[in-house]
Amino acid sequence: MRYENASPYSTTRINRFYLDLASLPSIAKDGTEVEITIEPKYHCRPDLLAYEAYGSSRLWWIFRALNPNVLRDPVFDFKSGTRIKLLSKDRANTYL
């Protein structure tokens, strides 16, 4: 079984029938990122912000990859009031 490139599991090994620990791609910062504060409506919902910012909820993992020191847990550290960096929509869509 092989996952699509947009899947956060595309680089994760499969041991027999089970996924290994997630291995997310890294994203290099290039200075075009913007910093935002997570609003209450996105509290613990990176998928909702990914849909609004990038047009695809499947790109939620980009927040974790771009902010590894802030979002150690990509869901439970995604708290309202937290400052994170976002990619532009065009750059994020290169990961689809």
Side-chain angles (χ1 to χ4, degrees), residues 3-4 10 12-13 19 21 28 39 42 45 50 53 55 60 69 73 83-84 86 92 94:
Y3 287 88
E4 295 178 24
S10 64
T12 302
R13 296 180 327 162
L19 286 174
L21 295 175
E39 297 177 29
Y42 302 122
R45 293 298 306 269
W60 63 267
N69 295 330
D73 182 301
R83 304 266 313 152
I84 61 169
L86 263 63
T94 64

Side-chain angles (χ1 to χ4, degrees), residues 26-40:
S26 61
I27 297 177
K29 294 178 182 172
D30 68 358
T32 62
E33 302 82 12
V34 295
E35 191 169 282
I36 66 153
T37 301
I38 298 173
E39 297 177 29

